[in-house]
Amino acid sequence: MRRQDALHALGRLLTNYWPLADEVGLGDLLRPYLPDKPAWTEEDMTEALARLLADVVAEGWDRHGAPGVARHPTEEGRFVASFEGPGGPYTVEASSKREAYREARREWVYRLLTRS
């Protein structure tokens, strides 16, 4: 799937399921990121959506910090990744540092996008 196709699909998903989009409308959320011209292209909308999502993640990073990962304190060859918010503490264990961090990041971004 091309990146632009993925962002287009994500835009449809956000329109249907993102709580903040329900409250104010996706168009209103994207407006600050759109160029000042009478009509917008699909490329303009894709760029605006990417910038909006980047700002949501950057704000979440500033507010909550990103997930961290460390060796499991008692189990050899295991790793623990965690974060404190949004939505409260979260911890995940995995057999590799990379996988633990990946799972924690996935949940962290999910929570940023679903807890407006």
Side-chain angles (χ1 to χ4, degrees):
M1 178 181 278
R2 291 183 356 217
R3 185 178 75 186
Q4 190 161 347
D5 293 337
L7 284 171
H8 185 71
L10 184 55
R12 285 193 314 270
L13 178 72
L14 289 175
T15 300
N16 293 326
Y17 299 106
W18 197 19
L20 195 55
D22 285 345
E23 292 172 22
V24 297
L26 188 56
D28 291 332
L29 291 172
L30 293 179
R31 197 167 321 285
Y33 302 94
L34 290 164
D36 188 21
K37 60 184 187 183
W40 300 305
T41 65
E42 185 173 325
E43 186 176 303
D44 292 335
M45 297 295 283
T46 300
E47 175 73 16
L49 178 59
R51 296 231 175 255
L52 169 65
L53 293 174
D55 278 355
V56 168
V57 171
E59 180 187 332
W61 196 305
D62 290 345
R63 181 180 299 160
H64 303 289
V69 65
R71 290 188 184 279
H72 193 286
T74 59
E75 294 184 37
E76 186 68 31
R78 301 287 294 170
F79 293 85
V80 178
S82 65
F83 58 84
E84 289 298 318
Y90 177 82
T91 303
V92 63
E93 291 184 32
S95 59
S96 73
K97 183 177 183 178
R98 181 183 192 136
E99 187 61 26
Y101 187 55
R102 182 176 183 212
E103 290 299 320
R105 277 193 333 255
R106 182 180 292 129
E107 180 66 18
W108 184 78
V109 170
Y110 171 78
R111 288 183 182 194
L112 284 175
L113 295 176
T114 59
R115 287 169 170 70
S116 49

